[in-house]
Amino acid sequence: MNPKVDFFFDKDSKWQKEFALLRRLILECGLTEEFKWGNPCYTIDGRNIVLIHCFKEYCAVLFFKGALLQNADGILIQQSENVQGARQVRFTKASEITKIKNKLKAFIFEAIEVEKSGIKVNLKKTKDYEVCEELQQKFKEFPLLKEAFGALTPGRQRGYLLYFAAPKQPKTRIARIEKSLDAIFSGKGLND
């Protein structure tokens, strides 16, 4: 246990009991406890293996390279269609954790082996993402926008491409693009 992470587990939470079970189970697997992205993160040799996080309706463990794990039972789920490598196991009560405790440990040990082996998740390249019509049109109207967009890091580009393409209404896509112009020209990402 890491005293720098204790506050996360000590705070009053709807998931306090589940968090305690998950923490104990993960630490039994020999991982190092750290705090990253506002959540307890468990590593081996400084490399991320699994993270505990929560949402309104559930708490979960997230395996960073979950797409590479054996998932015959379908327990590991993709959080959304845009998540590439990570997979979650979700819980709504402590008894669900207890019920699959051994399976969770097996996933953790497999994730450790995957990480140690150096296997990488085959990630979709930025060029493979769809550029919505509205952004293509803005690039034609403002060549400097295309240049500024191209100068962004691949992660920032992907973030914008997903953000711009998400709305069903063209006017919403246009509004998002226009609202983001200053940030793009400043070299910033969506959340910078």
Side-chain angles (χ1 to χ4, degrees):
M1 293 193 185
N2 182 340
K4 292 180 180 177
V5 185
D6 287 344
F7 80 92
F8 180 90
F9 295 99
D10 292 341
K11 68 183 175 185
D12 189 31
S13 164
K14 163 181 181 174
W15 306 112
Q16 206 164 12
K17 188 175 180 182
E18 291 78 8
F19 286 159
L21 281 170
L22 290 170
R23 183 186 203 189
R24 191 170 341 125
L25 184 142
I26 294 168
L27 288 172
E28 287 172 2
C29 296
L31 295 174
T32 302
E33 185 175 63
E34 299 182 33
F35 197 71
K36 298 181 179 183
W37 307 287
N39 295 287
C41 181
Y42 299 86
T43 64
I44 190 148
D45 301 326
R47 294 177 289 182
N48 301 325
I49 303 296
V50 67
L51 179 103
I52 295 174
H53 59 161
C54 67
F55 298 86
K56 186 177 180 181
E57 302 298 323
Y58 63 89
C59 67
V61 288
L62 176 120
F63 291 88
F64 287 90
K65 292 185 177 179
L68 300 176
L69 303 180
Q70 298 300 313
N71 189 24
D73 297 339
I75 293 171
L76 294 169
I77 60 170
Q78 190 173 1
Q79 191 172 352
S80 74
E81 67 181 57
N82 296 317
V83 172
Q84 295 185 58
R87 297 294 183 269
Q88 288 181 330
V89 181
R90 296 177 178 176
F91 306 99
T92 56
K93 52 188 169 203
S95 61
E96 294 172 346
I97 298 166
T98 305
K99 184 177 177 182
I100 65 163
K101 176 183 174 181
N102 292 334
K103 197 167 290 267
L104 278 175
K105 281 189 171 186
F107 280 137
I108 293 167
F109 288 124
E110 184 183 359
I112 291 168
E113 289 308 309
V114 164
E115 189 57 45
K116 285 181 176 180
S117 75
I119 299 172
K120 303 267 188 229
V121 175
N122 196 5
L123 300 175
K124 193 172 161 183
K125 306 286 183 221
T126 304
K127 65 180 175 60
D128 299 329
Y129 284 81
E130 180 185 341
V131 178
C132 67
E133 273 183 49
E134 294 79 7
L135 184 58
Q136 290 176 28
Q137 185 59 41
K138 287 287 183 191
F139 286 162
K140 286 177 187 172
E141 292 173 28
F142 306 104
L144 288 178
L145 174 61
K146 185 172 185 174
E147 188 179 315
F149 191 84
L152 295 171
T153 63
R156 287 183 173 129
Q157 289 179 19
R158 286 190 299 270
Y160 280 121
L161 291 173
L162 292 171
Y163 177 67
F164 296 156
K168 290 181 173 47
Q169 296 290 323
K171 66 181 180 183
T172 308
R173 290 192 293 270
I174 291 167
R176 285 186 175 190
I177 292 165
E178 289 176 352
K179 202 164 142 181
S180 301
L181 291 175
D182 287 342
I184 292 170
F185 281 116
S186 298
K188 295 181 178 177
L190 269 175
N191 302 312
D192 291 349

